[in-house]
Amino acid sequence: MTDRDTQTPRRRMLRPRVLMPIASAIVAAVAIGYFLRAPSPVGHWDSAEGEAEFDSAYTAAFASMPKPADTIDIRTAFGFVRVYRFEGTGDAAPMMLLPGTASSTPVWADNMPSLLRIADVYALDLLGEPGRSVQSSPITDTEDEAAWLAETIAALPEDSVNLVGLSLGGWTAANLAIRHPQHVRTLTLIDPVQTFDGIPVETILRAIPATVPWMPKAGRDAFNSYTAGGIEVEDVPVADMIESGMHHYAMKKPQPSRITEGQLSDLPMPVLAIIAGRSVMHDPDTASATATRTLGTGAVHVYEDASHAVTGEYPDEVAADIGEFVTRP
């Protein structure tokens, strides 16, 4: 197990560009929403005005991303999946990035410069979530969650990718790797929910004001600060986009079921787990122990000083770990 505790902490809390990936903490609030709602047919906007507000916020947040080489809407049995392809300078096999729930592609803005030095990057908006993917059929279980993503990757020129998932995106990546391993060259799980440990009761209780759309904004801000290690949540484009999605989009998907240790142990591809030592989305000690037990000591990197917003706090370090991992002979 690799331990970041001996490094000089570089949480970059005062740099505005890094405040954008507070999204990776803000999305934790929405992840809890899965446990506070019942599934029904298809995710949808509450109104045309709400969708327009989100679209404007999405456009503003996307301005911090590199210009994509291609923008593709891939038809699946469950709807259209919005995929962006970014050209990198490295020669590794392409990566595919899965964001946390409700965060969409712009959550990766701070990570893109260093990731693009490794390889081309595909990034997508999760189906059934606020973003520019459009759900058209119900997603009823974990098989459906894996099916739409498998169809998406199968439609790309490469039929397998180095898959990288953050938070709920980590669960989504692991769920695909279990059910359709042929599409996953390597698997990187960044502080994933419902994968190495369950979500603590305290976090669920604190999330309630953040996951009810009609509750005041202050409740969401308080929870977002809690997931990000207690720092003040400032107004930034990505945060505005996520809040708009939380407020105006009704997600209608089942709760993500806990991935078992047997499923993790049976994964046939190389796996890298990055655990935030101060995460509130699971118990970090339990999560790292489970990951070590199921994946092996060398597969687990613990960032001791990181909150759930680890990709924004340590973007270059995360990219370095991923780069070393996906380029191993």
Side-chain angles (χ1 to χ4, degrees):
M1 179 167 59
T2 300
D3 194 330
R4 295 277 179 183
D5 192 36
T6 58
Q7 295 186 353
T8 300
R10 294 195 290 162
R11 300 194 64 203
R12 303 176 176 86
M13 291 185 293
L14 301 179
R15 286 166 47 196
R17 76 174 187 90
V18 176
L19 287 173
M20 290 188 302
I22 253 188
S24 56
I26 295 174
V27 299
V30 196
I32 304 301
Y34 278 106
F35 299 90
L36 303 175
R37 60 182 170 79
S40 72
V42 174
H44 59 274
W45 298 101
D46 61 358
S47 65
E49 293 78 13
E51 182 178 8
E53 177 188 305
F54 173 84
D55 192 66
S56 177
Y58 185 108
T59 298
F62 203 92
S64 296
M65 294 286 289
K67 183 178 180 180
D70 296 294
T71 299
I72 316 160
D73 288 324
I74 296 176
R75 183 192 295 271
T76 74
F78 301 90
F80 288 92
V81 179
R82 168 60 59 88
V83 179
Y84 302 97
R85 184 179 72 85
F86 301 89
E87 288 188 354
T89 57
D91 56 5
M95 286 176 276
M96 173 172 279
L97 309 182
L98 306 184
T101 188
S103 59
S104 304
T105 295
V107 73
W108 298 103
D110 276 358
N111 304 100
M112 292 300 291
S114 48
L115 291 177
L116 288 174
R117 289 193 287 271
I118 302 168
D120 287 357
V121 170
Y122 291 101
L124 60 76
D125 295 348
L126 296 177
L127 194 61
E129 309 264 349
R132 289 181 175 167
S133 295
V134 181
Q135 186 182 5
S136 61
S137 296
I139 295 172
T140 61
D141 55 25
T142 54
E143 295 287 347
D144 289 350
E145 285 281 16
W148 72 258
L149 184 52
E151 291 179 46
T152 301
I153 296 175
L156 300 175
E158 308 82 8
D159 61 0
S160 66
V161 293
N162 291 309
L163 193 59
V164 179
L166 167 66
S167 191
L168 184 72
W171 178 90
T172 304
N175 182 59
L176 175 76
I178 291 164
R179 292 170 171 77
H180 299 275
Q182 72 275 17
H183 293 305
V184 185
R185 296 172 62 96
T186 67
L187 178 65
T188 299
L189 307 176
I190 305 175
D191 216 45
V193 298
Q194 288 293 91
T195 304
F196 301 120
D197 189 26
I199 298 176
V201 172
E202 180 183 1
T203 299
I204 295 174
L205 294 176
R206 283 176 176 263
I208 292 174
T211 54
V212 180
W214 46 264
M215 292 291 282
K217 179 177 180 294
R220 292 190 292 273
D221 287 345
F223 184 73
N224 297 337
S225 176
Y226 168 68
T227 61
I231 67 172
E232 182 178 351
V233 178
E234 301 182 20
D235 290 330
V236 291
V238 169
D240 291 342
M241 176 195 70
I242 293 170
E243 184 175 9
S244 179
M246 292 168 67
H247 183 63
H248 293 295
Y249 191 84
M251 290 185 283
K252 302 294 181 180
K253 298 195 295 182
Q255 301 172 2
S257 59
R258 173 74 186 276
I259 293 172
T260 69
E261 292 195 22
Q263 289 172 320
L264 291 167
S265 297
D266 289 343
L267 288 170
M269 73 289 295
V271 183
L272 170 65
I274 294 176
I275 305 296
R278 299 172 65 228
S279 178
V280 296
M281 296 308 293
H282 46 220
D283 177 78
D285 290 338
T286 300
S288 59
T290 301
T292 300
R293 189 165 54 248
T294 56
L295 305 176
T297 304
V300 184
H301 292 198
V302 177
Y303 285 50
E304 290 290 352
D305 191 52
S307 75
H308 190 60
V310 57
T311 53
E313 294 165 348
Y314 293 96
D316 296 334
E317 292 85 349
V318 168
D321 283 340
I322 293 173
E324 190 277 331
F325 172 61
V326 302
T327 57
R328 288 176 188 166

